């Protein structure tokens, strides 16, 4: 325990007098550290990874992919119709769902193949479907989120144009400033992602506490009968 605390991997226990108490968050953190160590991660690598995760940063940012290899993009995932359907084996996948996913830009239909441009969305959809939420409803929510994120992105784009692009144009678009302009784009992207992630976490935590409190109160009432 003390080693993990010294390495910044684990927060100190709550002190009550001379006794330190560890809670569920400490136990979860210890399980995660053990899991990552089993996969070959050093304590330094685990700390760096968790720090980036806590800050809402991406794996690409952690690995420096965008800086070191900006042209290294993910290859689209090509699946047969049967392979694509198997990803949702527990869900009622209809042709209408597939066509709508294509219309939303999540996939592309290329003859008998389904082309997935971002496998992360495919995995997220599968995991949500495992919660027994109908795919049609998942696509409804994705369409709404897509529009909402589009609005957020446009606002940050306006910020970028006012504070970075406009001064760049006024200076005559000097080639020497392109590197700093590119850096500003990346930093603003990371900040926007962190803002959205943090706000979502706070909103979800708030409503989770609300419903769990109601469930706990109901359970207490039932046990008192």
């Amino acid at each position: 325990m003390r080693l993990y605390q010294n390495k910044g991997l684990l927060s100190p226990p709550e002190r009550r007098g001379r006794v330190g108490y560890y809670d569920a968050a400490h136990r979860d953190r210890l399980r995660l550290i053990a899991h990552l160590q089993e996969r070959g991660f050093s304590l330094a690598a685990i700390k760096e990874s968790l720090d980036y995760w806590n800050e809402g940063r991406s794996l690409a940012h952690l690995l420096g992919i965008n800086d070191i290899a900006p042209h290294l993009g993910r290859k689209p995932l090509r699946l047969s119709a049967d392979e694509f359907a198997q990803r949702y084996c527990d869900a009622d996948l209809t042709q209408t769902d597939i066509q709508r996913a294509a219309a939303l830009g999540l996939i592309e239909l290329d003859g008998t193949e389904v082309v997935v441009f971002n496998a992360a969305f495919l995995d997220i959809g599968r995991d949500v479907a495992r919660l027994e939420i109908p795919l049609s409803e998942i696509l409804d929510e994705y369409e709404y989120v897509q529009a909402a994120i589009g609005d957020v992105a446009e606002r940050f784009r306006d910020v970028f144009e006012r504070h970075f692009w406009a001064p760049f144009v006024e200076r005559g678009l000097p080639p020497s400033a392109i590197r700093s302009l590119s850096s500003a784009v990346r930093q603003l992207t990371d900040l926007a992602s962190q803002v959205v992630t943090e706000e979502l976490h706070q909103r979800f935590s708030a409503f989770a506490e609300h419903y769990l409190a109601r469930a706990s109160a109901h359970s207490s009432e039932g046990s008192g009968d």
Side-chain angles (χ1 to χ4, degrees):
M1 293 281 198
R2 191 175 294 267
L3 171 63
Y4 295 150
Q5 290 172 22
N6 292 338
K7 295 286 186 180
L9 285 164
L10 191 69
S11 60
E14 179 185 351
R15 288 287 176 183
R16 300 176 189 171
R18 300 179 62 184
V19 180
Y21 292 88
Y22 294 90
D23 59 17
H26 288 98
R27 292 194 297 272
D28 288 344
R29 177 59 69 96
L30 288 172
R31 281 196 292 266
L32 180 56
I33 292 171
H35 171 72
L36 292 175
Q37 283 184 304
E38 288 174 359
R39 301 189 66 177
F41 285 79
S42 67
L43 291 181
I46 292 173
K47 183 180 186 307
E48 185 178 13
S49 301
L50 292 178
D51 286 346
Y52 270 70
W53 178 69
N54 287 333
E55 294 169 5
R57 300 192 185 190
S58 66
L59 177 62
H61 192 114
L62 171 62
L63 298 177
I65 292 174
N66 293 333
D67 294 327
I68 298 171
H71 302 295
L72 182 62
R74 295 189 182 97
K75 292 183 179 180
L77 181 63
R78 304 185 74 91
L79 302 170
S80 68
D82 288 341
E83 289 173 333
F84 183 74
Q86 287 172 7
R87 298 292 184 105
Y88 298 90
C89 57
D90 295 327
D92 184 17
L93 183 64
T94 67
Q95 191 62 32
T96 300
D97 293 328
I98 294 176
Q99 293 289 345
R100 189 174 177 201
L104 290 171
L106 289 169
I107 61 174
E108 181 178 283
L109 302 179
D110 184 12
T112 60
E113 290 187 319
V114 177
V115 182
V116 182
F117 296 104
N118 190 336
F121 285 130
L122 182 66
D123 293 338
I124 292 170
R126 178 200 60 208
D127 291 341
V128 176
R130 285 175 175 169
L131 297 175
E132 298 184 359
I133 300 173
L135 280 174
S136 58
E137 190 170 336
I138 294 173
L139 292 173
D140 286 342
E141 296 308 315
Y142 176 76
E143 185 173 12
Y144 177 83
V145 169
Q146 189 181 56
I149 292 297
D151 292 339
V152 172
E154 282 301 312
R155 294 190 67 87
F156 276 94
R157 177 181 175 177
D158 289 343
V159 170
F160 173 78
E161 288 190 347
R162 288 197 307 273
H163 296 281
F164 299 99
W165 181 253
F168 176 65
V169 172
E170 289 175 1
R171 289 159 54 195
L173 287 73
S176 60
I178 292 178
R179 182 180 293 274
S180 61
L181 191 71
S182 177
S183 176
V185 171
R186 289 195 298 270
Q187 292 181 57
L188 198 58
T189 299
D190 287 338
L191 290 170
S193 299
Q194 291 176 48
V195 167
V196 171
T197 300
E198 188 61 29
E199 185 64 24
L200 278 175
H201 282 169
Q202 290 187 16
R203 297 294 182 95
F204 270 78
S205 295
F207 85 65
E209 290 178 3
H210 170 73
Y211 287 109
L212 289 174
R214 288 179 60 185
S216 178
H218 179 75
S219 177
S220 298
E221 291 173 2
S223 62
D225 290 341

